[in-house]
PDB file of all heavy atoms in Angstrom:
ATOM      1  N   ALA H 810      -0.240  43.783 -27.351  1.00 93.00           N
ATOM      2  CA  ALA H 810       1.222  44.035 -27.080  1.00 93.00           C
ATOM      3  C   ALA H 810       1.562  43.744 -25.619  1.00 93.00           C
ATOM      4  O   ALA H 810       0.721  44.104 -24.726  1.00 93.00           O
ATOM      5  CB  ALA H 810       1.500  45.506 -27.339  1.00 93.00           C
ATOM      6  N   ARG H 811       2.668  42.991 -25.332  1.00 94.00           N
ATOM      7  CA  ARG H 811       3.121  42.796 -23.987  1.00 94.00           C
ATOM      8  C   ARG H 811       4.623  42.776 -23.907  1.00 94.00           C
ATOM      9  O   ARG H 811       5.288  42.407 -24.934  1.00 94.00           O
ATOM     10  CB  ARG H 811       2.469  41.663 -23.304  1.00 94.00           C
ATOM     11  CG  ARG H 811       2.561  40.358 -23.978  1.00 94.00           C
ATOM     12  CD  ARG H 811       1.640  39.335 -23.376  1.00 94.00           C
ATOM     13  NE  ARG H 811       0.215  39.630 -23.587  1.00 94.00           N
ATOM     14  CZ  ARG H 811      -0.627  39.959 -22.601  1.00 94.00           C
ATOM     15  NH1 ARG H 811      -0.248  40.070 -21.424  1.00 94.00           N
ATOM     16  NH2 ARG H 811      -1.889  40.227 -22.906  1.00 94.00           N
ATOM     17  N   VAL H 812       5.067  43.046 -22.761  1.00 94.00           N
ATOM     18  CA  VAL H 812       6.552  43.141 -22.525  1.00 94.00           C
ATOM     19  C   VAL H 812       7.087  41.605 -22.632  1.00 94.00           C
ATOM     20  O   VAL H 812       6.574  40.695 -22.014  1.00 94.00           O
ATOM     21  CB  VAL H 812       6.932  43.604 -21.179  1.00 94.00           C
ATOM     22  CG1 VAL H 812       8.471  43.530 -20.952  1.00 94.00           C
ATOM     23  CG2 VAL H 812       6.531  45.008 -21.041  1.00 94.00           C
ATOM     24  N   LEU H 813       8.134  41.390 -23.529  1.00 93.00           N
ATOM     25  CA  LEU H 813       8.734  40.121 -23.675  1.00 93.00           C
ATOM     26  C   LEU H 813       9.945  39.956 -22.845  1.00 93.00           C
ATOM     27  O   LEU H 813      10.135  38.982 -22.076  1.00 93.00           O
ATOM     28  CB  LEU H 813       8.957  39.827 -25.087  1.00 93.00           C
ATOM     29  CG  LEU H 813       9.412  38.476 -25.536  1.00 93.00           C
ATOM     30  CD1 LEU H 813       8.276  37.524 -25.397  1.00 93.00           C
ATOM     31  CD2 LEU H 813       9.896  38.446 -27.069  1.00 93.00           C
ATOM     32  N   ARG H 814      10.735  40.949 -22.951  1.00 92.00           N
ATOM     33  CA  ARG H 814      12.048  40.945 -22.299  1.00 92.00           C
ATOM     34  C   ARG H 814      12.472  42.359 -21.954  1.00 92.00           C
ATOM     35  O   ARG H 814      12.030  43.291 -22.636  1.00 92.00           O
ATOM     36  CB  ARG H 814      13.093  40.438 -23.256  1.00 92.00           C
ATOM     37  CG  ARG H 814      13.927  39.385 -22.816  1.00 92.00           C
ATOM     38  CD  ARG H 814      14.770  38.680 -23.850  1.00 92.00           C
ATOM     39  NE  ARG H 814      15.565  39.445 -24.719  1.00 92.00           N
ATOM     40  CZ  ARG H 814      15.542  39.309 -26.051  1.00 92.00           C
ATOM     41  NH1 ARG H 814      14.779  38.438 -26.625  1.00 92.00           N
ATOM     42  NH2 ARG H 814      16.399  40.005 -26.765  1.00 92.00           N
ATOM     43  N   ILE H 815      13.224  42.467 -20.859  1.00 93.00           N
ATOM     44  CA  ILE H 815      13.658  43.845 -20.568  1.00 93.00           C
ATOM     45  C   ILE H 815      15.185  43.702 -20.106  1.00 93.00           C
ATOM     46  O   ILE H 815      15.501  42.890 -19.302  1.00 93.00           O
ATOM     47  CB  ILE H 815      12.809  44.411 -19.467  1.00 93.00           C
ATOM     48  CG1 ILE H 815      13.261  45.873 -19.137  1.00 93.00           C
ATOM     49  CG2 ILE H 815      12.559  43.716 -18.185  1.00 93.00           C
ATOM     50  CD1 ILE H 815      12.172  46.781 -18.525  1.00 93.00           C
ATOM     51  N   ASP H 816      15.973  44.648 -20.631  1.00 91.00           N
ATOM     52  CA  ASP H 816      17.421  44.598 -20.180  1.00 91.00           C
ATOM     53  C   ASP H 816      17.760  45.903 -19.571  1.00 91.00           C
ATOM     54  O   ASP H 816      17.707  46.979 -20.207  1.00 91.00           O
ATOM     55  CB  ASP H 816      18.297  44.343 -21.494  1.00 91.00           C
ATOM     56  CG  ASP H 816      19.684  44.266 -21.138  1.00 91.00           C
ATOM     57  OD1 ASP H 816      20.119  44.574 -20.038  1.00 91.00           O
ATOM     58  OD2 ASP H 816      20.511  43.839 -22.074  1.00 91.00           O
ATOM     59  N   ARG H 817      18.101  45.908 -18.276  1.00 87.00           N
ATOM     60  CA  ARG H 817      18.316  47.103 -17.519  1.00 87.00           C
ATOM     61  C   ARG H 817      19.855  47.243 -17.272  1.00 87.00           C
ATOM     62  O   ARG H 817      20.293  47.954 -16.364  1.00 87.00           O
ATOM     63  CB  ARG H 817      17.633  47.074 -16.258  1.00 87.00           C
ATOM     64  CG  ARG H 817      16.163  46.744 -16.275  1.00 87.00           C
ATOM     65  CD  ARG H 817      15.485  46.685 -14.851  1.00 87.00           C
ATOM     66  NE  ARG H 817      14.177  46.324 -14.936  1.00 87.00           N
ATOM     67  CZ  ARG H 817      13.723  44.991 -14.860  1.00 87.00           C
ATOM     68  NH1 ARG H 817      14.593  44.108 -14.842  1.00 87.00           N
ATOM     69  NH2 ARG H 817      12.445  44.787 -14.977  1.00 87.00           N
ATOM     70  N   GLY H 818      20.657  46.478 -18.084  1.00 85.00           N
ATOM     71  CA  GLY H 818      22.120  46.441 -17.915  1.00 85.00           C
ATOM     72  C   GLY H 818      22.768  47.775 -17.939  1.00 85.00           C
ATOM     73  O   GLY H 818      23.625  48.201 -17.135  1.00 85.00           O
ATOM     74  N   ASN H 819      22.326  48.650 -18.890  1.00 86.00           N
ATOM     75  CA  ASN H 819      22.887  49.950 -19.093  1.00 86.00           C
ATOM     76  C   ASN H 819      22.175  50.919 -18.272  1.00 86.00           C
ATOM     77  O   ASN H 819      20.954  51.226 -18.573  1.00 86.00           O
ATOM     78  CB  ASN H 819      22.868  50.244 -20.556  1.00 86.00           C
ATOM     79  CG  ASN H 819      23.534  51.646 -20.905  1.00 86.00           C
ATOM     80  OD1 ASN H 819      23.726  52.507 -20.005  1.00 86.00           O
ATOM     81  ND2 ASN H 819      23.852  51.890 -22.125  1.00 86.00           N
ATOM     82  N   PRO H 820      22.736  51.697 -17.208  1.00 84.00           N
ATOM     83  CA  PRO H 820      22.001  52.604 -16.426  1.00 84.00           C
ATOM     84  C   PRO H 820      21.365  53.753 -17.275  1.00 84.00           C
ATOM     85  O   PRO H 820      20.325  54.354 -16.739  1.00 84.00           O
ATOM     86  CB  PRO H 820      23.020  53.164 -15.366  1.00 84.00           C
ATOM     87  CG  PRO H 820      24.233  52.637 -15.883  1.00 84.00           C
ATOM     88  CD  PRO H 820      24.168  51.601 -16.903  1.00 84.00           C
ATOM     89  N   ALA H 821      21.912  54.015 -18.446  1.00 86.00           N
ATOM     90  CA  ALA H 821      21.377  55.205 -19.107  1.00 86.00           C
ATOM     91  C   ALA H 821      20.256  54.849 -20.096  1.00 86.00           C
ATOM     92  O   ALA H 821      19.415  55.697 -20.513  1.00 86.00           O
ATOM     93  CB  ALA H 821      22.566  55.810 -20.007  1.00 86.00           C
ATOM     94  N   VAL H 822      20.156  53.524 -20.461  1.00 89.00           N
ATOM     95  CA  VAL H 822      19.183  53.135 -21.522  1.00 89.00           C
ATOM     96  C   VAL H 822      18.601  51.810 -21.035  1.00 89.00           C
ATOM     97  O   VAL H 822      19.277  50.867 -20.734  1.00 89.00           O
ATOM     98  CB  VAL H 822      19.876  52.976 -22.908  1.00 89.00           C
ATOM     99  CG1 VAL H 822      18.837  52.605 -23.848  1.00 89.00           C
ATOM    100  CG2 VAL H 822      20.673  54.120 -23.293  1.00 89.00           C
TER     101      VAL H 822
END
Side-chain angles (χ1 to χ4, degrees):
R811 56 191 64 247
V812 176
L813 188 68
R814 230 170 50 228
I815 180 159
D816 183 349
R817 307 175 185 92
N819 181 342
V822 183

